[in-house]
Amino acid sequence: MARDQVHYFGAGPALLPSEVIEQAASDFVCYKDNGIGLGEISHRSGDATAVINDAKSKIIKLLEIPDTHEVFFGQGGGSGGFAAVVMNLSAAYAARTHKKGKVDYFVTGSWSSKAANEAKRLGLEVNLVLDPKLVPRGGKKFGAIPPKSTWKFSDPKETAYVYYCDNETVDGVEFQTIPDVPEGVELVADMSSNFLSKQIDVSRFGLIFGGAQKNIGIAGVSLYIIKKSLLTSLPPAELIQLGIPVVPTFLDFQEIVKNNSAYNTVSIFAVRVVELNMDYLLAKGGLKVQEAQSDRKAEKLYEAIDKYPQLFKSPVEKDCRSRMNIVFNIVGDGAEEQFVKQASAKGLTGIKGHRSVGGIRISNCKYKSARPIAKL
Ligand SMILES: Cc1ncc(COP(=O)(O)O)c(C=O)c1O
């Protein structure tokens, strides 16, 4: 089996480095000469535990994660994280205060909007730190991050956490710096689509999470980095009394950490792909190199978009343009369809905008132009 050089710009699942695919394919068939592959061994076997531990320690090294934080693999993708965050962090706040906290959400695009809706659905009082409806955007729903002076936080003493999406994959909106939040309030970030694309100061976060399928690996696992002090809760009966939803055991962060990410059957193959990706990124020089590369690729694209305003329109304000998902429109009836067709003829695929917003979206995955794979 072989494959040609690929130029695929989908947002995720996204391309993997060819080296990772080759090794993963081999490990799927037979891992370490023990006769069976990684899709077939027990998630509690010695080999599986070693895969989990190695993947974790490489993530810690790559992201320079301090001792104050714990790394674990979860299930349920990014959307599972929306719910897990609400239940686990509300319980952690209640363990500290014996109160049901409010939750603050920055809504800057489709994914943070979904996350805020999930918190409402689970019965939390959700305050929108910035409300996109109040930002005039010429009919567009998203595409701006209003200035700090307009942000409205809840009383810090009553806030379980502040949530934001670092990069809005659909709308092409990215925070250029970590948002400042009131002192003492835990900051939660969804980094599903820009994890590992830049250096981050993990110590500023209570929790960072994301599905693996965009930058970290393949679908089937999600990555969580949590401040250890947040691994706490109250007994279910007390949570119920406070009106806090009780987290299902398989989404309970304490339970997952206690069981080294294998409370229930985790996909060891998916974790191994993460590990291989970490090897690749470490060998390539780490996140400094990734950051410079992502910046350079995004700059080139935005330069072209801005150079031809009669042809291309960017729906995103310059101060919050995503480096990972470059979205734009092309002027003229049927011009976008033509563009997609012509690009495809040149072997450039996966550039159609998200179905909810249309237009063009070029996702700046770090593994563009993965080299051909001669033989598996
Ligand atoms: C930023 C962000 N958060 C969350 C999600 C949801 O991820 P999943 O499909 O794994 O639930 C996505 C998916 O594209 C995303 O881009």
Side-chain angles (χ1 to χ4, degrees), residues 11-13 76-82 110-112 114 163 165-170 190-194 209-214 219-222 325 354 361:
S79 306
F82 299 164
S110 315
W111 291 112
S112 51
K114 282 195 174 167
Y163 180 106
C165 177
D166 205 50
N167 181 66
E168 287 284 359
T169 326
V170 171
D190 172 1
M191 290 199 185
S192 293
S193 52
N194 64 352
F209 76 99
Q213 64 269 26
K214 293 183 170 64
V221 283
S222 32
N325 307 98
H354 190 269
R361 172 175 61 175

Side-chain angles (χ1 to χ4, degrees), residues 141-153:
K141 218 165 155 195
F142 300 114
I145 300 179
K148 279 183 197 175
S149 55
T150 64
W151 299 354
K152 292 190 177 67
F153 294 102

Side-chain angles (χ1 to χ4, degrees), residues 73-144:
F73 299 106
Q75 302 189 44
S79 306
F82 299 164
V85 161
V86 175
M87 296 182 279
N88 281 281
L89 293 202
S90 293
Y93 175 81
R96 208 172 74 229
T97 61
H98 288 271
K99 283 198 289 201
K100 178 179 182 176
K102 293 178 187 162
V103 292
D104 278 7
Y105 278 73
F106 284 91
V107 172
T108 54
S110 315
W111 291 112
S112 51
S113 175
K114 282 195 174 167
N117 285 338
E118 189 74 335
K120 272 186 218 154
R121 205 166 166 266
L122 288 165
L124 273 287
E125 191 182 326
V126 177
N127 165 57
L128 298 186
V129 176
L130 50 87
D131 189 343
K133 286 198 212 83
L134 304 177
V135 187
R137 292 277 317 130
K140 291 256 179 239
K141 218 165 155 195
F142 300 114

Side-chain angles (χ1 to χ4, degrees), residues 329-373:
N329 296 98
I330 306 179
V331 178
D333 267 359
E336 285 168 355
E337 263 168 55
Q338 275 295 324
F339 187 81
V340 171
K341 233 191 214 160
Q342 288 176 13
S344 173
K346 289 191 179 303
L348 309 171
T349 56
I351 63 169
K352 243 181 163 171
H354 190 269
R355 60 195 146 77
S356 64
V357 291
I360 305 291
R361 172 175 61 175
I362 299 187
S363 294
N364 188 5
C365 160
K366 53 180 120 352
Y367 314 123
K368 290 280 120 60
S369 304
R371 65 162 168 73
I373 295 174

Side-chain angles (χ1 to χ4, degrees), residues 33-98:
D33 294 330
N34 60 15
I36 53 172
L38 280 185
E40 300 160 296
I41 64 168
S42 161
H43 58 297
R44 296 210 175 85
S45 62
D47 277 339
T49 306
V51 168
I52 294 173
N53 289 341
D54 291 349
K56 271 173 60 176
S57 59
K58 287 167 188 174
I59 289 166
I60 290 168
K61 186 170 174 195
L62 187 68
L63 282 152
E64 296 176 18
I65 298 173
D67 259 2
T68 46
H69 286 64
E70 180 71 48
V71 174
F72 66 90
F73 299 106
Q75 302 189 44
S79 306
F82 299 164
V85 161
V86 175
M87 296 182 279
N88 281 281
L89 293 202
S90 293
Y93 175 81
R96 208 172 74 229
T97 61
H98 288 271

